[in-house]
Amino acid sequence: MTTHTESRAAIILAAGQGTRMKSPLPKVLHPVGGRAMLDHAIDAAEALGCDRIVVVVGSHSPEVRAHVVKRLGEDAIAVQDPPMGTGHAVRAAEAVLGDFKGQVVITYGDVPLLRATDIEPVFGESEGVRVIGFEAREPGAYGRLVMDGETLTAITEAKEASAEVLAITTCNSGVMAAPVGLLFELLAEVKNDNAKGEYYLTDVVELARKRGAPTRAVMASEDSVMGVNAQSELAQAEALFQKVQRETFMAAGVTMPAPETVHFSWDTEVGGGAVIEPYVVFGPGAKIAGGARIRSFSHVEGAAVAGGAEVGPYARLRPGAKLAEGVKVGNFVEVKNVSMAKGAKANHLAYLGDGEVGAKANIGAGTIFCNYDGFFKHRTVVGEGAFVGSNSSLVAPVTIGAGAMVGSGSVITADVTPGDLALARSPQTARTGWATKFMEMMRAKKARG
């Protein structure tokens, strides 16, 4: 958390309808890096050390309201109804902030790549209005920041700009900070005498200058302030997020032969010295220790993998999977809510759900932990050094004792004593010549049509 002397608050605007997304999911709840864009904005506000966070929502999106209440509580909600521009949206938060004294920063729920380190410079002064600008590769319809040295003289919308102003490449991100009292005094003076009949937040810059209050701009990268309004932009934001994650991990010593094929989540942890092969996907909650190897086409979510363990190729680790040092989980093995102790192996075609596997135990190909009875989940325990033969079904709750063996093809419904051999299959029988007679009969039927 950032250290600072003056109280801070954040107002996060999340009331837009997001119609260009063409999705039943509200725009700000679409994920980047496996986390809702709105949560990225809240993360940044928390990292800034904000004492108060207010999220402005619309009455049209109860899902957004519920999301905010679950994370921050009802006191964090302000409602803009009906929507009448960004200035109007910020004013909706005034009553919620109450008697707050200090600096307020205004950010957006659809700008997922903006981090606390990008926002921090906007708090560099405790007086006046400060905005975050960026140098645009293609300024297009962005509002332009008209500067006089370090002073911001105006924010001019592209549709209202002269040719001279349109030549400016320094653009407005929309992020703004000001003392709380000054901010709402200025917003009270904003008029809606424009083509859209809306109250624009950007108007406070000119109003501040008329008062003699300082107006400044600080710069951030264009990528960090990217807003998402359509599915194509969501994909661009995801690509930028992944690029940063990959570069960060490789700088920390993670080996990735084809980093462009690896996808990380917002909270993925990978230690230096780990090897991540091509086409690996990490969902939320994955923790990979240095020295582990995740082989190609594996999916890891909510799982912890220790150093020296090997996963995949084509393996799936689900939430609650915990792999100790030297564990091997091979191709087409799924592990869910199971702890595997040092040196345990499940090399092929197995489902391990709800339980534990002891050190150096071996789970044969085709083995299934039958953990669900249609109503409840049950645990399977395989003891240290046990050997479970191929194509076995272990019907939970059941325990295979240390050093015990399960014969291939068995359906085990009762505990196996340590050191015992358990067999649960019908004896093999043979009928001499039956197959030959059967095939001759069927060929004759086919010939008759």
Side-chain angles (χ1 to χ4, degrees):
M1 182 176 290
T2 301
T3 301
H4 52 88
T5 57
E6 193 170 15
S7 295
R8 294 176 175 180
I11 299 173
I12 302 172
L13 305 188
Q17 300 203 22
T19 54
R20 288 172 55 194
M21 296 296 288
K22 298 182 179 179
S23 169
L25 182 68
K27 177 175 71 170
V28 297
L29 298 186
H30 281 75
V32 170
R35 187 164 178 79
M37 291 193 289
L38 178 55
D39 280 322
H40 284 290
I42 295 172
D43 290 344
E46 289 180 339
L48 284 165
C50 290
D51 303 288
R52 294 291 308 277
I53 300 174
V54 179
V55 181
V56 181
V57 303
S59 58
H60 56 83
S61 294
E63 302 97 329
V64 176
R65 181 183 187 124
H67 188 92
V68 175
V69 169
K70 183 176 181 181
R71 177 161 180 185
L72 297 175
E74 192 72 40
D75 292 344
I77 293 290
V79 180
Q80 183 191 25
D81 186 22
M84 297 172 64
T86 51
H88 179 258
V90 175
R91 290 198 71 182
E94 184 174 5
V96 179
L97 283 174
D99 60 356
F100 172 80
K101 304 296 182 185
Q103 298 288 314
V104 177
V105 65
I106 299 154
T107 65
Y108 300 83
D110 59 359
V111 182
L113 304 181
L114 190 66
R115 298 291 178 257
T117 51
D118 302 310
I119 303 171
E120 181 65 35
V122 88
F123 287 110
E125 301 175 17
S126 60
E127 299 296 330
V129 175
R130 289 88 58 198
V131 305
I132 294 180
F134 64 96
E135 288 295 327
R137 291 180 284 268
E138 297 181 10
Y142 289 121
R144 306 302 204 271
L145 298 187
V146 182
M147 304 292 297
D148 181 7
E150 295 182 355
T151 299
L152 173 63
T153 62
I155 301 177
T156 305
E157 297 300 325
K159 59 187 177 182
E160 300 171 358
S162 65
E164 181 181 7
V165 172
L166 285 174
I168 296 172
T169 58
T170 306
C171 296
N172 179 36
S173 72
V175 178
M176 178 182 294
V180 64
L182 175 63
L183 175 66
F184 289 115
E185 286 177 14
L186 295 173
L187 283 170
E189 299 177 15
V190 172
K191 308 298 183 183
N192 67 337
D193 50 355
N194 52 63
K196 290 188 175 182
E198 294 184 347
Y199 298 89
Y200 294 137
L201 178 62
T202 51
D203 288 352
V204 304
V205 171
E206 181 180 355
L207 292 169
R209 286 183 55 75
K210 287 180 179 180
R211 285 188 175 211
T215 52
R216 300 282 188 268
V218 298
M219 303 304 291
S221 71
E222 182 174 7
D223 290 344
S224 68
V225 298
M226 175 189 177
V228 172
N229 295 294
Q231 295 291 346
S232 60
E233 293 172 348
L234 182 67
Q236 291 173 29
E238 183 70 36
L240 290 168
F241 173 87
Q242 294 298 336
K243 182 176 183 291
V244 171
Q245 293 291 88
R246 293 162 186 154
E247 291 174 352
T248 299
F249 284 124
M250 287 189 290
V254 176
T255 298
M256 286 186 279
E260 69 280 2
T261 69
V262 178
H263 284 73
F264 295 98
S265 190
W266 67 280
D267 61 349
T268 306
E269 299 178 18
V270 186
V275 177
I276 311 298
E277 294 184 2
Y279 299 103
V280 171
V281 175
F282 293 100
K287 298 182 179 181
I288 313 301
R293 178 182 287 268
I294 311 298
R295 302 191 64 190
S296 294
F297 300 102
S298 295
H299 188 283
V300 182
E301 179 175 354
V305 181
E310 184 175 311
V311 177
Y314 296 98
R316 183 182 182 194
L317 301 186
R318 292 172 58 193
K322 297 180 180 178
L323 277 53
E325 182 181 350
V327 167
K328 290 190 177 181
V329 170
N331 48 288
F332 305 106
V333 175
E334 180 177 344
V335 182
K336 189 271 292 185
N337 195 28
V338 170
S339 297
M340 300 183 69
K342 184 176 181 179
K345 296 179 181 180
N347 279 327
H348 325 277
L349 302 161
Y351 170 67
L352 313 182
D354 298 302
E356 60 185 86
V357 178
K360 297 185 178 180
N362 187 88
I363 308 297
T367 294
I368 298 173
F369 286 10
C370 304
N371 57 329
Y372 183 52
D373 63 8
F375 297 93
F376 302 101
K377 297 290 182 69
H378 303 280
R379 285 173 55 80
T380 298
V381 177
V382 178
E384 180 177 351
F387 183 94
V388 179
S390 299
N391 201 34
S392 295
S393 298
L394 309 183
V395 183
V398 69
T399 296
I400 311 301
M405 298 184 71
V406 173
S408 297
S410 294
V411 178
I412 303 299
T413 58
D415 292 351
V416 180
T417 302
D420 281 5
L421 168 65
L423 295 169
R425 60 186 182 216
S426 300
Q428 182 172 318
T429 60
R431 297 184 181 182
T432 303
W434 187 93
T436 301
K437 294 176 183 178
F438 175 78
M439 290 183 182
E440 289 175 351
M441 177 183 70
M442 297 307 292
R443 289 191 188 102
K445 284 184 176 182
K446 187 173 182 178
R448 291 194 298 269

